[in-house]
């Protein structure tokens, strides 16, 4: 019996052992199947993915930035060029310890804290395999020091890149603008894919406005690298498409003549070809050298520019907003004629002041004793404030503002550059919306002489002058006249555009046109003593103006000799020439010049002389008064 039990127990043990062996075999088979399945997944199912990863370890795509387009004046003079320069770049994924690398580089290169901060900011914005600019404009000695220590500087490369240069310095800074390093704000507006490998972008002026045209399209190359990231060979290349070249309407010679004519005053000069709307000169003085901004201007130098009381960074021509003063009296006169509230022949006795019916306040004329009997022609020529107070009162702001608006007052001209401001065209609706106040009759009077709330830019005044020269025909003002695709291409002219014209009868245009001529060439005209009396070889149609810097009390007299120069009136002049076949329209603002006739008019005359001489319409001996 015991033998039988022992035999049964042995059978059970053998059975359990067989089950365990079977389970072990099944587990082993399952593990083998799992391993085979995983191998199949990796080698077959994910073959493409791991092939790509393998290739990426061996191959690299590197961007090739395009060459930036050049900028020329209307005669082919180069205003913005590309010069080869050495720059220091770091590829982060190859650099290892970035802080240690920067410490080593600081012993070889003069790196400012600002440059290091910009580099760190750029590192956060770029992909690790993209080179990041650390310093540009390296000299040969610095390049040599880095080359000697190259084995201790992983990820560091010295690249010869084209760098923007402005050969004329401050002369065109406010027109052309400048490029600077790409920052976070720029990245929000730029296509980062097309700016891979590009470190600079347009910041102001034409450089900014035409960024898409000037930049071009980024190319790329596929290279094979070793384990250390060194390039072994180049496999394929997709070349970049260079940026297009711009031909400005600016005449470089006239630009310098306008700058010289404006000296010693701060201010602005804008000259336009009335037939095409092309800007011939656009001067804002003082200017600044844009070249330091390309490499990264130091905080000290930038602070000096910002704190300069003459504000060289401020573009007075496009952004400066000033009362136009008497330069807008011809438009008010045209409104009076078109609205049938007056005639050219109507005469009034202009005393030294004007009073609204039922009001005690006296609105004084700039001439203490007044101008006596004046009609419209004489009122414009002598710039009678009292005549225009009366005309403004008869018109009312609701009929005056639309005519001013038709000339573009209170609206941006729409020039192809950055920084233009619209000015202010005051009206009943404007005051209600901005100040939530009602309009008063006295405000109409001071608006009629270009003071009060009204503000314009020198560019607007030049555009207004061009419209006067064209007898109401408006032409879109522009800085770029042609664009060229490739160095060997033919510049393609930009088409002209015509905003809505100013509608007025021919007889009324004749009245305004003759009055503007008389303001210069008649002995009683405000510009006769400064430019008309010299009997130029051509006739000028123009209007002087002064813009108050501060308001006078009713019983206060304006006396330059008792005022600080910074409180003097701004001097203005608008004009076109030759009067009967206009080739140029000019607006001049001389800050704190005091007198439009004495100061601004001769500046405009010199600009006109220079341009008409260049056209062969004025002999060299007749150029200056």
């Amino acid at each position: 019996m015991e033998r039988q039990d022992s035999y049964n127990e042995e059978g059970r043990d053998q059975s359990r052992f067989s089950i365990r062996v079977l389970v072990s075999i099944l587990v082993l088979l399952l593990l083998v199947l799992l391993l085979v399945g995983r191998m199949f997944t990796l080698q077959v199912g994910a073959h493409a993915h791991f092939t790509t990863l393998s290739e990426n370890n061996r191959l690299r795509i590197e961007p090739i930035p395009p060459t930036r387009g050049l900028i020329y004046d209307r005669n082919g003079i180069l205003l913005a060029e590309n010069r080869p320069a050495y720059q220091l770049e770091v590829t982060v994924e190859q650099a290892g310890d970035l802080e240690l690398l920067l410490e080593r580089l600081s012993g070889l290169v003069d790196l400012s804290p600002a440059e290091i901060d910009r580099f760190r900011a750029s590192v956060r914005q770029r992909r690790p395999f993209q080179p990041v600019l650390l310093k540009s404009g390296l000299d040969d000695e610095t390049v040599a020091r880095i080359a000697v220590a190259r084995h201790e500087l992983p990820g560091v490369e010295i690249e010869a890149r084209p760098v923007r240069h402005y050969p004329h310095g401050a002369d065109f800074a406010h027109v052309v603008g400048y490029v600077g390093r790409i920052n976070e704000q720029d990245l929000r507006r730029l296509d980062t894919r097309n700016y891979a490998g590009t470190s600079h972008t347009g910041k102001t002026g034409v450089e900014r406005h035409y960024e898409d045209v000037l930049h071009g399209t980024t190319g790329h190359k596929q290279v094979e690298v070793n384990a250390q990231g060194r390039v072994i060979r180049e496999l394929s290349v997709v070349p970049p498409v260079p940026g297009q070249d711009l031909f400005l309407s600016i005449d470089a010679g006239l630009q310098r003549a306008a700058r010289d004519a404006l000296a010693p005053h701060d201010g602005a000069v804008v000259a336009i070809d009335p037939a095409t709307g092309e800007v011939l000169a656009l001067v804002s003085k003082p200017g600044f050298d844009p070249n330091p901004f390309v490499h990264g201007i130091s905080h000290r130098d930038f602070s000096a520019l910002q704190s300069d009381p003459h504000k060289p960074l401020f573009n007075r021509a496009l952004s400066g907003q000033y009362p136009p003063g008497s330069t807008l009296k011809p438009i008010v006169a045209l409104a009076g004629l078109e609205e049938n509230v007056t005639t050219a022949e109507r005469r009034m006795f202009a005393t030294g002041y004007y009073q609204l019916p039922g009001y005690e306040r006296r609105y004084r004329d700039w001439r203490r004793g007044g101008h006596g009997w004046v009609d419209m022609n004489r009122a414009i020529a002598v710039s009678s404030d009292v005549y225009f107070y009366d005309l403004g009162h008869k018109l009312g702001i609701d009929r005056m503002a639309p005519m001013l608006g038709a000339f573009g007052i209170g609206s941006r001209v729409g020039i192809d550059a950055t920084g233009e401001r619209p000015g202010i065209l005051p009206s009943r609706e404007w005051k209600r919306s901005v100040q939530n106040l009602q309009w008063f009759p006295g405000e109409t009077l001071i608006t009629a002489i270009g003071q009060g709330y009204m503000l314009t830019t020198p560019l607007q005044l030049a555009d207004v002058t061009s419209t006067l020269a064209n007898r109401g025909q408006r032409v879109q003002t522009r800085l770029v006249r042609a664009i060229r695709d490739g160095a060997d291409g033919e510049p393609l002219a930009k088409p002209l555009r015509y905003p809505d014209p100013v509608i007025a009868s021919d007889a009324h245009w004749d009245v305004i046109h003759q009055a503007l001529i008389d303001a210069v060439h008649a002995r009683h005209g405000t510009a006769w003593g400064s430019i008309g009396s010299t009997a130029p070889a051509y006739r000028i149609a123009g209007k002087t103006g002064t813009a108050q810097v501060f308001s006078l009390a009713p019983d206060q007299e304006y006396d330059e000799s008792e005022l600080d120069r910074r409180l003097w009136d701004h001097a203005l002049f608008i004009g076109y020439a030759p009067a009967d076949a206009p080739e140029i329209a000019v607006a001049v603002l001389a800050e704190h010049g005091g007198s439009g006739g004495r100061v601004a008019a001769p500046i405009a005359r010199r600009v006109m002389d220079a341009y008409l001489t260049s056209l062969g319409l004025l002999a060299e001996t007749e150029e200056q008064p």
Side-chain angles (χ1 to χ4, degrees):
M1 187 69 178
E2 291 179 359
R3 181 181 298 175
Q4 181 67 32
D5 292 342
S6 175
Y7 183 80
N8 290 339
E9 184 67 27
E10 182 178 347
R12 285 193 294 272
D13 290 342
Q14 185 174 2
S15 177
R16 283 195 295 270
F17 176 77
S18 298
I19 292 172
R20 289 172 180 171
V21 169
L22 181 61
V23 170
S24 298
I25 292 173
L26 290 174
V27 170
L28 182 61
L29 286 174
L30 180 62
L31 291 174
V32 170
L33 288 174
L34 288 173
L35 181 61
V36 170
R38 181 60 178 163
M39 290 176 63
F40 179 85
T41 300
L42 293 175
Q43 295 188 19
V44 179
H47 174 77
H49 171 69
F50 287 102
T51 298
T52 301
L53 291 179
S54 175
E55 288 295 308
N56 285 343
N57 287 331
R58 183 177 68 89
L59 304 178
R60 189 167 69 207
I61 303 297
E62 295 185 349
I64 308 174
T67 302
R68 192 172 183 85
L70 306 179
I71 301 177
Y72 300 87
D73 88 328
R74 68 187 298 115
N75 299 312
I77 296 174
L78 197 58
L79 306 181
E81 62 182 344
N82 301 315
R83 288 185 174 180
Y86 293 110
Q87 60 186 42
L88 177 62
E89 298 178 353
V90 177
T91 303
V92 175
E93 71 174 4
Q94 301 173 17
D97 189 334
L98 194 59
E99 295 304 317
L100 177 60
L101 178 64
L102 289 174
E103 183 180 343
R104 289 175 178 172
L105 285 171
S106 296
L108 301 171
V109 186
D110 182 18
L111 293 174
S112 68
E115 288 174 324
I116 293 177
D117 290 343
R118 279 197 297 266
F119 170 75
R120 289 191 173 121
S122 298
V123 166
R124 293 192 294 269
Q125 298 162 5
R126 301 279 181 146
R127 296 178 180 179
F129 59 84
Q130 291 181 333
V132 178
L133 175 65
L134 177 55
K135 188 178 181 67
S136 59
L138 302 179
D139 56 31
D140 293 338
E141 182 179 346
T142 302
V143 171
R145 286 200 302 269
I146 296 174
V148 170
R150 183 67 184 78
H151 62 286
E152 299 178 346
L153 305 171
V156 172
E157 296 291 342
I158 300 295
E159 296 288 344
R161 304 269 192 195
V163 175
R164 205 60 155 180
H165 179 72
Y166 304 99
H168 301 279
D171 288 353
F172 299 90
H174 289 295
V175 180
V176 175
Y178 60 84
V179 300
R181 292 180 182 175
I182 295 174
N183 55 32
E184 293 183 11
Q185 185 178 359
D186 296 322
L187 287 174
R188 286 194 289 270
R189 66 180 176 86
L190 298 175
D191 180 359
T192 54
R193 293 171 298 177
N194 194 37
Y195 278 77
T198 300
S199 58
H200 288 68
T201 185
K203 297 289 187 176
T204 63
V206 169
E207 290 274 29
R208 170 66 180 269
H209 188 87
Y210 285 92
E211 173 63 28
D212 293 343
V213 174
L214 290 165
H215 177 258
T217 304
T218 298
H220 65 268
K221 60 182 176 180
Q222 187 180 51
V223 296
E224 185 176 4
V225 297
N226 60 19
Q228 288 74 41
R230 301 285 181 207
V231 176
I232 299 174
R233 59 176 175 151
E234 191 175 277
L235 300 178
S236 63
V237 176
V238 175
V241 178
Q244 296 173 293
D245 298 335
L246 301 181
F247 288 82
L248 304 189
S249 58
I250 294 289
D251 185 312
L254 187 66
Q255 180 85 355
R256 284 188 288 270
R259 177 205 61 192
D260 295 343
L262 189 58
H265 302 280
D266 292 344
V269 177
V270 182
I272 296 176
D273 180 347
T276 63
E278 294 177 351
V279 178
L280 304 170
L282 192 150
V283 173
S284 177
K285 185 177 174 293
F288 63 96
D289 184 0
N291 289 299
F293 288 86
V294 177
H295 300 294
I297 192 170
S298 67
H299 283 297
R300 184 186 64 183
D301 292 342
F302 185 64
S303 296
L305 288 172
Q306 283 189 311
S307 60
D308 189 325
H310 295 281
K311 299 181 179 180
L313 296 176
F314 183 54
N315 189 341
R316 289 162 167 82
L318 272 64
S319 303
Q321 299 184 115
Y322 308 86
S326 297
T327 60
L328 292 194
K329 287 177 180 175
I331 301 177
V332 177
L334 185 64
L337 294 173
E338 285 294 306
E339 294 292 339
N340 295 315
V341 302
T342 189
T343 65
E345 298 76 23
R346 186 185 74 86
R347 301 175 74 215
M348 70 172 289
F349 191 81
T351 61
Y353 63 90
Y354 182 81
Q355 284 181 284
L356 284 167
Y359 289 82
E360 294 183 359
R361 178 176 175 178
R362 293 182 174 184
Y363 295 86
R364 292 177 304 173
D365 198 285
W366 68 269
R367 186 174 183 179
R368 184 176 301 180
H371 297 276
W373 287 103
V374 294
D375 58 8
M376 181 174 285
N377 178 289
R378 190 175 183 90
I380 292 174
V382 302
S383 199
S384 170
D385 288 340
V386 167
Y387 179 93
F388 283 94
Y389 289 147
D390 183 66
L391 179 56
H393 175 58
K394 288 181 168 61
L395 265 172
I397 191 63
D398 295 331
R399 290 189 288 186
M400 189 192 312
M403 179 61 79
L404 293 167
F407 275 84
I409 303 300
S411 302
R412 290 181 177 85
V413 171
I415 194 170
D416 44 350
T418 57
E420 185 191 356
R421 299 181 71 181
I424 294 175
L425 173 59
S427 65
R428 199 181 306 276
E429 293 74 18
W430 171 85
K431 190 178 180 186
R432 186 183 300 114
S433 63
V434 173
Q435 300 183 358
N436 196 28
L437 295 172
Q438 67 176 357
W439 185 265
F440 296 104
E443 293 169 333
T444 302
L445 270 58
I446 57 176
T447 299
I449 64 166
Q451 296 285 170
Y453 299 117
M454 184 178 292
L455 294 175
T456 58
T457 66
L459 175 65
Q460 274 184 346
L461 289 180
D463 187 65
V464 165
T465 311
S466 177
T467 302
L468 287 170
N470 291 333
R471 294 176 172 246
Q473 176 63 64
R474 301 190 68 197
V475 187
Q476 178 63 51
T477 301
R478 59 181 182 168
L479 277 169
V480 173
R481 69 194 310 235
I483 299 175
R484 181 174 67 187
D485 190 1
D488 300 327
E490 189 70 23
L492 297 178
K494 294 186 65 179
L496 301 182
R497 293 199 299 116
Y498 300 94
D500 293 338
V502 179
I503 305 299
S505 72
D506 290 342
H508 294 162
W509 284 118
D510 289 341
V511 171
I512 303 303
H513 176 68
Q514 187 58 51
L516 293 175
I517 293 174
D518 288 348
V520 177
H521 295 280
R523 292 184 66 88
H524 57 266
T526 53
W528 182 82
S530 58
I531 60 175
S533 60
T534 58
Y538 58 95
R539 293 205 302 173
I540 300 170
K543 182 72 189 74
T544 59
T546 56
Q548 292 181 352
V549 175
F550 68 99
S551 298
L552 293 170
D555 58 347
Q556 186 180 5
E557 295 290 341
Y558 176 82
D559 187 349
E560 284 184 1
S561 63
E562 297 180 357
L563 295 174
D564 184 281
R565 178 64 183 266
R566 291 170 296 182
L567 296 177
W568 287 14
D569 291 343
H570 299 319
L572 298 111
F573 181 83
I574 64 171
Y576 52 91
D580 296 319
E583 296 283 351
I584 183 172
V586 180
V588 175
L589 167 82
E591 288 187 351
H592 311 296
S595 168
R598 187 178 66 249
V599 174
I603 294 172
R605 165 75 189 276
R606 290 181 60 184
V607 174
M608 292 174 178
D609 284 348
Y611 187 64
L612 296 179
T613 299
S614 71
L615 295 180
L617 300 179
L618 183 64
E620 293 285 348
T621 56
E622 300 170 329
E623 182 178 344
Q624 296 298 334

